[in-house]
Amino acid sequence: MGAYKQFLASDIIITPFEVNKGFRFLGNQLTGSNVGINRFLGTNLSGTLFNPSTDPTTGYDFSQYQRLIYNSIQELYYSNYLSSSYGDDVNIGYILPGSQPEGNVLVGTNQSTGRYFNYNQTTLTFEKYFPTASNSVIGVLSIPSKLYGNYIQPNSFIWKCPSGSISDDGEGNLIFSSSGEICGQIFYPHGLAIITSDSNPGLDGYGFFQYGTGSYGAGDITIINNFITSSNVTCSFSSSLNIYETQYKCTLRENEYNFSLNPSLTSGSTQITSSIGTFFTPGQYLNNNVTGSYFSPYITTVGLYDEYQNLLAVGKISQPLPVSPTTDTTILINIDR
């Protein structure tokens, strides 16, 4: 019998489980090299030509053009909500069959209007507002994936500045503390919090001010600027990450490992000392104390090796475990990664 035993596929079980961790960053901590939370202003400059030398930029950890921030956020997250706050209906063409395939007629549009995904966070129906007037401003807070893991935990996001605080409602909406109104959206799997505004005072909509009062607009831009540009900000959230636990089932049958391979159990064993340690070469005869019928070795350590017999991991048992001569002995080793 050799000292090694091969694992079967049924002996290895890989199980994912989710772990959470809370974070809270103050002021300049957001942009630290070990954090990297960035804040951007996005501005609708579609009425002007792009000029890389004069176009306004935004960002702390790295810079982007405000025009590009606005355009990319609109395309990815709000492109289906530009003409309807509840999302445009899907408008696609359909085939009207003729008597033969050659007589089939395409009825309706063949455009992809209304088919944008836009990463909705819930199956519930909420309003989404995105400003489209000239010079409209939005605010974006971007959290790196190294912090939020798989996604930001719903109901854990809080963003504070001197103007107030913004928190998420667990369904993907951002709520402004002063008014209790929706002021944007958070996209949990992407680590993005987006606050929206419109530069035209008097536009009815939802936002930092009460719906339909006519006061929504210019004041929002001031508040958004405070959230994006102020150094006196706080951001807190909880991350979610899947960790995989590998379980190895080491089974010793009743006729296996029932005698110790320790050479010191033999008489006449020779001690050899080298630069890497002290070893014993086995002798010819067993010592008297291990020849009895009731002798059974105890297990204290299990080593995991690769196919080249390189030791990869060592599992220590809390107390010595005797090997049973009548039943199988199973040892479970769990490794998290």
Side-chain angles (χ1 to χ4, degrees):
M1 181 189 68
Y4 303 98
K5 186 169 183 179
Q6 181 72 42
F7 283 117
L8 302 177
S10 58
D11 296 329
I12 303 174
I13 301 174
I14 300 177
T15 305
F17 64 94
E18 187 176 282
V19 295
N20 303 318
K21 181 178 180 180
F23 294 92
R24 185 170 183 265
F25 301 104
L26 306 176
N28 294 331
Q29 292 179 346
L30 272 70
T31 55
S33 58
N34 61 336
V35 178
I37 295 178
N38 215 337
R39 290 175 288 162
F40 302 99
L41 282 174
T43 306
N44 183 14
L45 301 174
S46 58
T48 61
L49 296 177
F50 174 68
N51 187 331
S53 61
T54 59
D55 252 42
T57 59
T58 182
Y60 288 83
D61 201 26
F62 60 90
S63 295
Q64 292 284 356
Y65 291 105
Q66 293 186 23
R67 179 196 303 265
L68 299 183
I69 294 294
Y70 176 91
N71 291 342
S72 60
I73 293 298
Q74 174 183 288
E75 177 66 23
L76 289 173
Y77 302 106
Y78 295 92
S79 50
N80 204 38
Y81 293 84
L82 301 181
S83 59
S84 172
S85 58
Y86 287 99
D88 295 323
D89 293 331
V90 176
N91 184 14
I92 60 176
Y94 62 93
I95 294 293
L96 181 64
S99 57
Q100 295 186 12
E102 294 79 6
N104 293 347
V105 178
L106 178 64
V107 178
T109 180
N110 60 357
Q111 302 297 318
S112 59
T113 303
R115 281 191 265 175
Y116 300 103
F117 182 65
N118 288 155
Y119 301 98
N120 291 318
Q121 303 294 291
T122 178
T123 57
L124 300 177
T125 301
F126 289 110
E127 281 188 294
K128 274 188 179 182
Y129 172 76
F130 192 80
T132 56
S134 179
N135 296 317
S136 296
V137 173
I138 62 171
V140 179
L141 182 139
S142 175
I143 300 172
S145 59
K146 67 180 181 181
L147 292 181
Y148 69 79
N150 296 331
Y151 59 88
I152 297 174
Q153 279 283 322
N155 286 312
S156 71
F157 179 80
I158 301 176
W159 184 7
K160 295 181 179 179
C161 84
S163 299
S165 67
I166 293 174
S167 59
D168 76 291
D169 65 354
E171 299 290 348
N173 295 310
L174 294 178
I175 308 299
F176 189 56
S177 59
S178 297
S179 64
E181 297 290 321
I182 297 174
C183 62
Q185 279 72 42
I186 181 171
F187 298 91
Y188 302 113
H190 299 170
L192 288 178
I194 302 169
I195 48 180
T196 58
S197 135
D198 192 277
S199 60
N200 292 327
L203 176 67
D204 290 340
Y206 65 83
F208 296 112
F209 301 99
Q210 186 176 0
Y211 180 86
T213 61
S215 60
Y216 177 74
D220 295 344
I221 297 179
T222 300
I223 296 178
I224 288 177
N225 272 283
N226 287 337
F227 276 100
I228 299 301
T229 62
S230 174
S231 60
N232 186 18
V233 293
T234 301
C235 180
S236 59
F237 59 91
S238 292
S239 65
S240 177
L241 182 66
N242 282 338
I243 290 181
Y244 294 88
E245 180 181 77
T246 304
Q247 183 181 88
Y248 297 90
K249 184 174 70 172
C250 307
T251 302
L252 311 180
R253 300 194 180 279
E254 72 276 4
N255 62 335
E256 295 178 326
Y257 296 90
N258 51 18
F259 192 81
S260 175
L261 298 179
N262 191 332
S264 64
L265 299 181
T266 61
S267 61
S269 60
T270 304
Q271 177 177 315
I272 300 176
T273 302
S274 68
S275 59
I276 61 174
T278 300
F279 305 92
F280 290 86
T281 60
Q284 186 176 3
Y285 303 102
L286 292 173
N287 295 329
N288 292 333
N289 63 325
V290 295
T291 57
S293 58
Y294 292 103
F295 173 78
S296 177
Y298 282 69
I299 300 173
T300 59
T301 305
V302 178
L304 301 182
Y305 295 80
D306 63 11
E307 63 270 26
Y308 304 107
Q309 298 182 3
N310 296 314
L311 182 61
L312 303 179
V314 175
K316 292 287 187 179
I317 299 177
S318 59
Q319 60 185 15
L321 175 69
V323 178
S324 174
T326 58
T327 60
D328 293 350
T329 301
T330 300
I331 301 173
L332 299 180
I333 300 177
N334 296 328
I335 299 177
D336 297 339
R337 58 183 175 87

